[in-house]
Each structure stands twice: as structure tokens, then as C-alpha cells.
Amino acid sequence: MLTRRDLLASFLGAPFAAACARRVETPLPPGVIAGASADFGHRLRTERAPAPTEWEAHDVVVIGSGIAGLAAAWRMRHAGLHDVLVLELEPSIGGTSRSGQSKVSAFPWGAHYVPAPNPENKVLQRVLRELGVYDGDQIAEQFLCRDPEERVFYRGRWYEGLYLTAGASHDDLRQLHAFERKVAEWVQWRDAKGRRAFTIPVAYASDDAEVTALDRMSMGEWLDAQQFTSPRLRWFVEYGCRDDYGTLLADTSAWAGLFYFASRVVEPGVESEPFITFPEGNGRLVAHLGQRIAARTHWLAMNVAPHEQGVDVTAMTPDGPRGLRAKQVVFAAPQFVAPYVIEPWRAAPPPHVRAFSYGSWLVANLTLRDRPRSTGFPLSWDNVLYDSPSLGYVVATHQRGIDYGPTVLTYYHALTDADPRKSRERLLSAGRDEWADVTLADLGRAHPDLRTLTERLDIMRWGHAMIRPTPGFVWSAARRSAMQPYRGIHFAHSDLSAVALFEEALYQGVRAAEEVLDVRGMESVTFL
């Protein structure tokens, strides 16, 4: 058993552990591990699907109800293809965009915003119009993230924004402005076909050699080459990599690092697209995409067997094995799952699967009876601790405009070991109480009264939360190969875009659905 000091050192760093490892008399608040179902999913590695005694037929079976799977079913429904069944091993749909509800507020269990869509992002525009958020010209004001948006905690005080300007030297600011000019150059850049270097969806970005060369180096190496040595700038850039990818500078493709800063900016000198958010995060979008679809939860797809007439799927359910006969399958689970599930791949997995690498994340939701004390800039939507390995927290009640009383804080902690297997081992080595203690200790440096204000603390452990855009992966042949259909199986997941964004999962789900529609001779007008 780890001592408390060992536990804090493992997740928050030795210096912090030395200062905070003393016994804490206030007991931990109640709570549970809300998911994800690691033990259920790990059965794929150790078990083979028993023969089903019951079979049913469907036009299409979608495996996985994350955004990509829901988007695929949503697109097929729009085309009039309604016999689509979605399978999900978890108790609820949504994947890393799912949400929860406490007595105080709805809250996210993962992804918690989408940027306003840029002109290229037709499919996101369509979804937001359906939801009543976007009228084709602008986003309804009540859905845009309200001020104040961001703050950073440093040496006992909160400051506005994410770049730490307080105490910044002349050289720190010079390097920040030089970095901003470099980003602006890439925002303005166009290839011979008029394509931007970085845009969302990634599929519309330029594949020009000048752009793709960035993928062959790390973001750390790119900063070195530009002589960007300022610790504050490097922290700021690395925070972006940790925030979207769960990676450090050394493990992030320079293409992905610059994509974070440039893809959401329409033109140089203009602020990036504003954020759209809801108390439940992207759970609002999950609920919309999931309307009128047939979904079966607690169904673990264990075997996918393509044959001349279609694809047979064997699923383990609470009532035993069940068989599904489909004409096509949309495989909307991560690529690492495919060799355990697709029958012909078990003995000889395709080489491209090995190129996919996933990061581990811890998400905790803290229900508070009152707002914690703060020194400096006031409580914001996004609250980041400068000297913490975590990503800080967002405030679920922020959009409601109530700045006092009970609230829910959603805390994010990406485990960023260079070896992702080590991150998963560390993530799963700590249970609910250990992670609750880590969360409270981390945030307690900014809010000394937090532990006494927290009435409940639930956690979610995402062992394979998101794809890691490591150097060489974004523009690899492996990623392109993974998108190719295989004997009636069409692939859809954000990992196919190399960046784990809501918009990319949406794009990949619609792309796979339109492949199915094309095979079936249905609807030629694309949503993409």
C-alpha cells in the first residue's frame, strides 16, 4: 500500500507531496467510481464470445456510442435508413462526451465544449442548427461561454487568462509575441489549392510538404528551433498539448501543437472562435444526436465476423450472448480494440493498429455546498493551476450566471507518461478514495476550504481516453490505412483524425455513414 506521501508524489509530484503529506483530519466526502467499465472491456483480451442461441437481423450495426457512433446513426437516419442498432458496453451512451447529474447541476464527464464552427465545418453547423444554437450566421448568446472565461493560479493568487503575465520579464513577453506572429503566419498560409495549413475537420487541411514536415518533429523540437526558451511560453504551449491531447511537448507532433493554436482562428489578428458550452458539457450534444436511435447499453461486442452476405456480430449482454446479422457494421470503437473483436484480425492484426497510442485521463466531479474562497481574479469557467500536473477544473454552473451558492467543479487530470501503458497502470492503481484525496489536495492549494465544502466527489477513470498525436503519426500511412473499409466494416472514431475533438468524431461518424449509404446506393448529397 502506498503512503499518502507516495500517492501524492505519484500524481502531483514530490515537492508538493513533501509539503502536503501530513494527515488530514477532515474525512473524505462520499462518492463512487462512475466508470469507465475497464473490467468489462478487458474481457475482450481474455475471453472468446460464446455461441449465441438467439439471432436477429438489422441493416446496420454500429459498435460504440461515442460521438462518432452516434453521428453515424444520426446521418443514416437523415438518409431514411432507420434499421440501425447501436451497441454500447457502458450503462449510458456518449463515450467521453457523456454527462451526469447531481442535486445541484448537470455536469460533464469528459468533453465540455465545442468552438463555434468555422466555414469549413458544415456538419457541425448542421447539428447546431438542429439544436437551436446556431442560425446559420451566429451562435445564440446564451450558449457562448460567459465571462470571465479563464484564470490561472500562481503562488497563492489567481490571475486573468491562461498565459501568466504577472511577473513576466521583457524577454518572456517578447517571445510570447514572436510565437503569436509565427502562429499568425500559419493562419494566413495557403497552399496551391487554396487550403489552410490547419483547419477543422483535419481532412480539409493541406497535405503540402511544407505543412506535413511539421509532423516529423516534436513540438518541443519546434520551439527549440525557433529559440523559444521562455519557461512561461513553454508552459503555455505545453498546457495546450496536455489540454487537447494529454501529451507533453516531447511527445506531441509539432503539427498537432500548432494545430491547437491555429486551426480555430479564421484570419490573422482575429481571436479564435468562441466556445459553445452547456452545464453538462457536450452531453447536450450527445442527447441530440442520440434522439430516435435504437441503442442497447451493457452490450459488449466480442466478435465481428465478415462473410459474403454481410457481417455477424456476437455481443455479450446481461442476459447472455446475443447474435446480430447485419448487412454492414460501423466500427466506432478505438482502433486498439479492433484486433480483439474483428475475427480475421485476431491471428494477424494489420500493421497500422500498432501506430495508434492512447492517453489516460482522470475526471472528478465535486459537488459543493458553497463556492470556495479565492484570492485575486474571480471564479471563471476554466480554472488552471500553473504549478500542477492537472488541467484544473471547469464550473458546471457558470453558464447559468449564478456566482454564489452550491456548484459542481469538474476536475481534469491527464496522465502524461511517455509510455502510455505506465499511465494506464498508474490511473487504475488508485481507487476512488485515493483519487479523491489527490483531487482535494491538488485543488486545496488554491482553495484551502474546498475539502470542508465538498459534499460528494465521484470519479471517472478513462484508460484510453484519447488518441495521442505523437511525432510522425498525424500524416502517417497507418492513419490513412485505418480509415479504409474492410469487408463490410466501416471505421469511425476520432482517433482516425489523430486529434480527439468532438468535431473530428462527428466528421468521422458522418464519413463512415456516407460510405455505408454509398454501398447501399442511397443519397448522394454529402453532409461533409
Side-chain angles (χ1 to χ4, degrees), residues 80-199:
L81 183 56
H82 296 288
D83 186 15
V84 177
L85 181 65
V86 179
L87 307 184
E88 173 56 52
L89 72 86
E90 297 290 343
S92 58
I93 64 173
T96 55
S97 288
R98 62 193 275 194
S99 60
Q101 177 76 48
S102 77
K103 64 180 183 179
V104 173
S105 174
F107 52 77
W109 272 124
H112 53 277
Y113 69 89
V114 292
N118 57 28
E120 296 89 350
N121 203 340
K122 304 298 184 186
V123 65
L124 179 58
Q125 292 176 22
R126 180 183 287 267
V127 170
L128 294 177
R129 281 198 300 271
E130 289 183 359
L131 198 57
V133 170
Y134 178 65
D135 64 5
D137 181 41
Q138 60 185 4
I139 303 297
E141 184 69 26
Q142 67 267 34
F143 302 115
L144 293 176
C145 184
R146 66 179 280 259
D147 289 329
E149 288 191 22
E150 302 163 329
R151 64 176 181 168
V152 60
F153 182 79
Y154 180 67
R155 294 187 178 179
R157 188 176 184 85
W158 289 99
Y159 297 91
E160 183 178 8
L162 288 182
Y163 180 86
L164 184 62
T165 55
S169 69
H170 173 77
D171 191 54
D172 286 330
L173 297 177
R174 180 190 64 79
Q175 291 193 38
L176 172 64
H177 298 322
F179 173 75
E180 291 172 340
R181 287 194 295 272
K182 285 290 183 183
V183 171
E185 289 173 9
W186 280 115
V187 170
Q188 192 171 29
W189 188 95
R190 298 291 186 274
D191 68 10
K193 297 179 181 178
R195 295 174 299 181
R196 291 162 51 94
F198 308 101
T199 192

Side-chain angles (χ1 to χ4, degrees), residues 246-258:
T247 48
L248 301 179
L249 294 176
D251 304 310
T252 307
S253 158
W255 185 95
L258 288 165

Side-chain angles (χ1 to χ4, degrees), residues 8 11-12 16 107-110 112 242 361-367 382-385 388-396 408-415 434-445 447 450 457-460 462:
L8 297 179
F11 297 111
L12 300 177
F16 177 76
F107 52 77
W109 272 124
H112 53 277
R242 291 190 294 126
W361 286 60
L362 181 286
V363 182
N365 272 293
L366 297 77
T367 300
D382 194 9
N383 307 266
V384 178
L385 282 66
S388 169
S390 76
L391 295 164
Y393 63 90
V394 296
V395 181
V408 177
L409 309 184
T410 304
Y411 169 85
Y412 295 89
H413 191 124
L415 282 71
E434 290 80 13
W435 270 116
D437 197 13
V438 168
T439 301
L440 292 168
D442 189 20
L443 297 182
R445 70 182 83 184
H447 304 298
L450 183 67
L457 197 160
D458 300 308
I459 71 165
M460 182 84 74
W462 296 106

Side-chain angles (χ1 to χ4, degrees), residues 58 70 128 209 490 502 504:
H58 294 278
L70 295 177
L128 294 177
H490 301 262
F502 177 93
E504 296 298 338

Side-chain angles (χ1 to χ4, degrees), residues 22 26 41 71 84 86 90 120 144 147 184 200 222 228 264 307 336 364 374 381 414 418 432 521:
R22 65 185 182 277
T26 305
V84 177
V86 179
E90 297 290 343
E120 296 89 350
L144 293 176
D147 289 329
I200 300 174
W222 184 87
F228 289 142
R264 293 163 176 155
H307 52 82
F336 80 89
S374 290
W381 172 66
R432 204 291 310 198

Side-chain angles (χ1 to χ4, degrees), residues 70-83:
L70 295 177
W74 169 83
R75 177 65 184 94
M76 288 184 279
R77 179 168 57 80
H78 269 281
L81 183 56
H82 296 288
D83 186 15

